[in-house]
Structures are given as C-alpha cells and as structure tokens.
Amino acid sequence: MTNVILKASSIVTMDPTNPRAEAVAFDDATGKILAVGTVADCQAAAPGTAVTDLGTTVLMPGFIEAHSHPMLGGMITQTPSYWIAPYMGYPHISDVHALWTKVNAELPPDQPVVFEGLDRLLQQASMPTNTDLDAFFPTRRAVVLDNSGHVAYFNSAVIAFNKWADGKPPPNPPGAHFGRNPDGTSNGIAYETAAQLEAVLPTVKDAVPHPLESAAKWLQYMAGFGITATSEMTYSTNMLKGYEALTTRPDSPVRMSLYHMAIDSDAGVQVASPDPAMLRKQGVKLWADGSPWVGSIASSFPYLDTPAVQHAEIPLGPGGTAMMNYSRVELDALLAKYAPMGWQMSFHVNGDVGLDIVLDAYEEALVNNNLMGTDHRWRVEHCGGCRGDQFERAVAMGVTISLGPFQYIYWGDLLDGTMFEPAIGSQWMRWGDAVRAGAHLSFHNDGPVSPPIPLLNIQTAITRTTDTGQVHGANQIIGIEDALKAETIGAAYMLHRDDEIGSLAVGKYADLVELSMDPYLAEPLKLATEVKVQGTWRSGRKIDLDAYMQQIQAVEAAGTHPVDHAAPFTAHKC
Ligand SMILES: [Zn+2]
C-alpha cells in the first residue's frame, strides 16, 4: 500500500461536517481517502507518508457534469472536425464563412470536412443549401450540422457521393425528411436524425476516421476544465465497447454513468461493466419535448414576433402539448416498463407544459411502483422555461433537477425581450427558484451543445450575467456554496454516486481538482478566468492527459473496442 498526503493552501471539501482542511491523505492502491483535515490528522491516518506540499494550490472535489454526450461531442467538435458554434469564436455567420474559406484553401483537396454548431439565431444565419455551400466547397465533401441537432446541411459533392439517382434523395424515413427543390432534387438539407444519418453519415465516417480518439479528446477537454465524472445521456448498446476502452485506461480522467435511450428496444438490459466505479449503466433517458432554439418546446407561452425569431423560422406557438414527443398514455407505458426494472428515469424537458405532464406521469408511476418516498432520484433535464412552483412539486416527489446555465449564458440576451416577453425570458433557467425549492440541483453544459466549463457555470449562477455582461432576472442569483454544490455533491447525488464522489471525506475516491486560487476569494464576475484549473486526480492518480491519449490510440489501433459512427450520431438531439 502506497499512501499519499497532499497539503494545499486550502481544501474546499464540500462536506458540511468538515468544510475546510489543509491536507488530504489517500491510499493510491484503492484510490480512496484515508483522512481529510490537518497535516497531523493525515499523518496519523497514513503513518510514515511524506507530505507533498502543493503550495498556493487550492484543492476541491473534482467537478461533475451530470448531463453530457461525450462520444458525440468528441466526434463532431474535436479535431479533425470543426466546432463553429458562436461561443467558440464565431459570433457571426461571416466568421463561419471566413473559416470555411480558410479550411478549403488549406486542406488536401479530397479531405471531407464536418462542421458542428451553425446557429441560426445567434449567428443570424439562413439555412445554407448545397449551392450556398458549393461556393465555399466546390469539390470536397462538406457537412455542416445545425447547433440545434435537428438539421444537417451538405454540399453537392456529398449528394454526388451518395449516388442519389438524378440527385434526388430517397423517400423520407419515418419522423424525418429531406429538403427538395421543386424538381425533386436535393437542396442539401436533411431534417431530423434518420434523414441526417442517410445523407451525411458516410461522409462523417470518412471525415472522422478515429472516433474513439475523438471521444477521448472530449474527455481530455472535460478534464481540462476540472471534470472527473460525467454521464452519457444518449447511451446505446453499440457504444459499450468504446466506453469500456475510454474508462479503463490507467489515465482515464472521467468516470462515466450511462443513461440508455428509451427508443432502443434493449434500453432495459443490464450492462456488465469491467469496473462499475468507472463505468456503470444508471438509467433510461427520454425526450419529453424539444429545443427552445427551433420552437419545439411544450410551453404555455408564445414566442415574440420579432425579426430574429422570424429569421430563425421559429413558429410562434405557444407549442403546448402539440410539442410533446409522447402522449401521456405513451409516457405511462414507458414508465410502466422501466420503473419496475429499477432504472432511474431521466426526462429532457424545456417547456412548462412539458414539465407538468412529466411530473404527472412520474407521480403516477412512482405511486404505482411503490417508489414514492424512496431514494429513486428520478431526473428532469434542462427545464429552461419551467417555473419555481414546478420545482417545488418535483422536490416533494424526490425528483432531482439538472439545469443548463449555458442556455442563459449564450442566449440570455435574446431570450429576454427578443424571443420571449421579459416576464418569461428574464427568468429562463431559474436556478434561484430551484435552490429555494430545496432541489437536489446539478448544472450541465450538454456537450456538444456548449463547452463544459463548470467554473463559468458557477460564475453565471452567482452573478446572473450573460456572455455580454448583461443581467436578466437578478432574483435568480444564488450563493457560491449552492453553485459549487451543483457542480460537485449535487451532481454526484443525481448520478447516485454521492457515496463515492462529490465531496472529500474518508472512504470516498480521491477525485480532485487543483485550482490556482480559492473560488470563494475570486471576483465573482471574473471567477472563471481568475481561477485556473491546474490539473485533476482520479482515484488518487494524478491524471496525465497526454498519456491517456496514447493509451487510447493503442486501443484504437488494436481494433478491440470499435466505435460505430452511427451510434452517437443517432443521439444528435441533445
Ligand atoms: Zn443532452
């Protein structure tokens, strides 16, 4: 047994019984904490162990992102793909056009390319047709994915590669369709997953030849922001081999909890994991409604009739029950199927009408399965347009809430007064109400929707400030303690891992983030830039992200853990 004692300038434990410490001792064979307290406490628990002094570094439990899509995130945002979302350095469509010109000039002539994140609202972009894209990519194949996940755009070279007879797409698959010109030929647009897959998957396969490495890059990216545990919210069985490889390397930086897409016929099956502490199936995921950026949320309130909303081709609504992906009868049937199996349920829902229906269905299923009052921790995700009284009802039922501050950070200025009337828009993502309701709250960035930056979520939660510095709904500001909980112990609770991670306490894993300064001492409006992430530890091992990539490349070269490109792509509707 080799023990380690780390001394820091301060340790924020997130354990209310022992909130601050100066040192932590752990057994690096088990990866578990032996003591958290003074140096003397640690030496008593680990006699004869040398003390490593980290100087001015502040330690915290590793951050936890309770809702992500790492495999998809890696495939479509990391090199060799290009991430063109507005907040990744492309605020306007003209910035995207400049990148397209540069890429086409620099890459080898036949190299196909994938761009993720065209945002019609924020970048003031129109839907590009094949002819629009041909102007930038006259010969190479080019695929552009809409930031909403609902639409894919492609150029004429892709249409030719697909060998569609006379350039005409095949018949529309169920629930999806191809854009067509008046003469029946493709206009270079595919709507919804099944049509996107048929139109662009062959090109994505050629453009992203190493999907396991791409997924590992996403996990590297998360770890770079201090994250040591996350989830895959769009798990399907053909991702299992890939996730086994990603989570069982010596330097695997991030623990993974899998939520199986309910649309899969085998969504109820158990998953045997080589290491349940690193990889485990936790629940089943459904989409109750859609996205605020395309007008598919089940809300009681309409959009405003403004030029930005018109330009993005968003129906004014209110969407109401028409935007539900399932009828109440269908929801009841799904819950009746999965609840008796013991799976934790997780529902994507953005609109207030949608959350009412989800909570009604949850209530009935919890009662029917004798789960009311138990430790079920069923989840609701995003909840952008939902209300505080709904959060109170969720809490009373034992339902946990994961909010996405990214919706507020990047779209907040549009939400308040351009997309919705201020009474709705200024209150989008009501983390203040959630805390007041006593929620088990977590935050997420929904990768690949937005970059996974816990410190920026915390800064935003405590200042209610968007990326342009504006404040909408200051009544939703929360304190730093509650914000930190949403990125640590609150998220661990949601993942049913609070007995293992989320705070620094004896017996838990030594999953740590090294910070350059105490987040409590940072200027709130500059927290995410003043506080630097210096590294992470997972199970008491200092993570080497370069070594991790080499370990993954070795697996990918061996071909023992193949990743099917179609699997994550099917999930491209976060
Ligand atoms: Zn998602």
Side-chain angles (χ1 to χ4, degrees):
M1 175 161 106
T2 322
N3 292 329
V4 176
I5 297 176
L6 300 179
K7 178 182 180 301
S9 77
S10 185
I11 300 180
V12 180
T13 69
M14 301 309 295
D15 173 1
T17 67
N18 178 35
R20 288 277 175 165
E22 68 170 343
V24 56
F26 46 86
D27 170 356
D28 79 352
T30 64
K32 291 186 174 174
I33 294 172
L34 301 168
V36 187
T38 62
V39 169
D41 295 334
C42 288
Q43 286 173 323
T49 304
V51 176
T52 303
D53 191 339
L54 299 176
T56 57
T57 295
V58 171
L59 290 176
M60 277 195 63
F63 296 129
I64 302 170
E65 157 127 27
H67 179 131
S68 186
H69 307 269
M71 210 169 268
L72 177 67
M75 209 168 83
I76 64 179
T77 73
Q78 302 296 298
T79 314
S81 294
Y82 295 85
W83 199 355
I84 56 168
Y87 29 82
M88 299 310 293
Y90 307 95
H92 190 263
I93 187 63
S94 57
D95 303 304
V96 173
H97 288 168
L99 176 74
W100 287 350
T101 303
K102 181 169 175 286
V103 165
N104 194 58
E106 289 177 356
L107 285 191
D110 294 329
Q111 173 69 42
V113 278
V114 172
F115 300 90
E116 154 66 14
L118 185 82
D119 195 295
R120 283 175 283 143
L121 263 173
L122 292 177
Q123 291 167 333
Q124 300 164 53
S126 301
M127 286 193 176
T129 63
N130 59 314
T131 0
D132 294 330
L133 291 175
D134 290 348
F136 296 94
F137 305 102
T139 53
R140 82 175 68 251
R141 286 179 284 156
V143 167
V144 178
L145 302 171
D146 195 274
N147 211 13
S148 70
H150 291 266
V151 196
Y153 315 98
F154 43 96
N155 67 351
S156 296
V158 172
I159 296 172
F161 184 82
N162 288 346
K163 297 194 168 65
W164 287 344
D166 304 322
K168 294 177 179 173
N172 293 335
H177 66 281
F178 297 100
R180 297 167 203 269
N181 295 311
D183 65 358
T185 56
S186 170
N187 69 354
I189 304 179
Y191 299 86
E192 304 306 338
T193 304
Q196 290 185 45
L197 276 173
E198 206 159 339
V200 307
L201 188 65
T203 295
V204 171
K205 282 182 175 171
D206 290 342
V208 186
H210 304 294
L212 193 64
E213 188 177 321
S214 291
K217 285 179 183 170
W218 183 267
L219 298 180
Q220 276 188 319
Y221 189 56
M222 293 188 101
F225 292 117
I227 293 169
T228 54
T230 192
S231 67
E232 168 58 79
M233 297 306 293
T234 36
Y235 173 70
S236 62
T237 298
N238 49 8
M239 292 182 181
L240 181 58
K241 277 286 176 196
Y243 272 119
E244 284 178 4
L246 290 165
T247 56
T248 55
R249 301 306 97 192
D251 283 287
S252 291
V254 180
R255 296 178 198 279
M256 193 68 58
S257 300
L258 305 172
Y259 289 82
H260 209 136
M261 289 189 281
I263 51 174
D264 287 359
S265 57
D266 64 347
V269 299
Q270 298 285 335
V271 166
S273 168
D275 181 0
M278 285 302 295
L279 176 71
R280 77 172 68 141
K281 179 166 159 179
Q282 179 59 43
V284 171
K285 166 83 182 297
L286 282 95
W287 285 259
D289 65 353
S291 157
W293 323 130
V294 294
S296 55
I297 59 171
S299 65
S300 66
F301 46 84
Y303 288 78
L304 294 174
D305 192 7
T306 57
V309 170
Q310 290 162 3
H311 189 76
E313 300 176 44
I314 295 175
L316 298 182
T321 53
M323 291 302 165
M324 291 293 287
N325 295 325
Y326 301 91
S327 69
R328 174 64 199 279
V329 171
E330 290 168 331
L331 287 181
D332 289 347
L334 286 162
L335 289 167
K337 178 178 177 186
Y338 296 118
M341 297 176 180
W343 294 118
Q344 182 189 25
M345 299 307 301
S346 162
F347 275 43
H348 164 121
V349 58
N350 267 305
D352 56 338
V353 171
L355 184 55
D356 278 340
I357 295 170
V358 168
L359 292 178
D360 287 348
Y362 269 9
E363 186 168 6
E364 187 172 319
L366 289 168
V367 169
N368 289 346
N369 291 282
N370 295 315
L371 289 167
M372 196 63 89
T374 69
D375 199 24
H376 58 83
R377 307 184 194 183
W378 286 6
R379 307 173 46 153
V380 290
E381 319 288 322
H382 316 313
C383 306
C386 301
R387 300 185 313 274
D389 63 286
Q390 295 183 300
F391 294 160
E392 289 170 16
R393 183 182 172 203
V395 169
M397 290 164 54
V399 170
T400 59
I401 300 168
S402 193
L403 298 180
F406 67 92
Q407 287 192 5
Y408 178 84
I409 298 171
Y410 305 115
W411 284 267
D413 297 343
L414 278 183
L415 286 164
D416 184 6
T418 298
M419 292 176 67
F420 302 112
E421 61 178 63
I424 298 290
S426 75
Q427 299 295 301
W428 202 263
M429 284 294 160
R430 303 182 191 211
W431 45 76
D433 287 351
V435 167
R436 283 186 283 275
H440 286 284
L441 176 66
S442 79
F443 289 149
H444 63 262
N445 287 289
D446 206 4
V449 180
S450 68
I453 314 177
L455 288 168
L456 182 59
N457 293 340
I458 291 161
Q459 171 181 313
T460 304
I462 65 175
T463 62
R464 194 73 185 174
T465 302
T466 65
D467 63 345
T468 64
Q470 297 187 54
V471 177
H472 310 268
N475 57 315
Q476 298 297 341
I477 287 174
I478 61 175
I480 188 166
E481 180 83 16
D482 286 316
L484 288 169
K485 280 166 71 175
E487 295 283 1
T488 55
I489 191 68
Y493 182 90
M494 180 168 261
L495 297 174
H496 275 277
R497 286 183 182 269
D498 53 314
D499 56 338
E500 298 172 308
I501 55 173
S503 65
L504 303 182
V506 173
K508 288 196 180 187
Y509 285 107
D511 287 7
L512 309 167
V513 57
E514 293 185 7
L515 301 175
S516 64
M517 69 175 285
D518 189 332
Y520 285 80
L521 302 180
E523 165 65 36
L525 282 169
K526 296 179 184 162
L527 186 143
T529 42
E530 281 189 348
V531 182
K532 308 251 188 299
V533 172
Q534 297 174 324
T536 59
W537 298 65
R538 197 266 304 153
S539 303
R541 179 185 177 99
K542 179 83 189 260
I543 293 299
D544 180 336
L545 292 175
D546 293 333
Y548 178 55
M549 190 52 66
Q550 289 163 13
Q551 292 154 14
I552 288 296
Q553 285 165 343
V555 177
E556 190 143 47
T560 51
H561 292 69
V563 169
D564 172 1
H565 286 78
F569 210 77
T570 305
H572 190 220
K573 193 177 88 171
C574 307

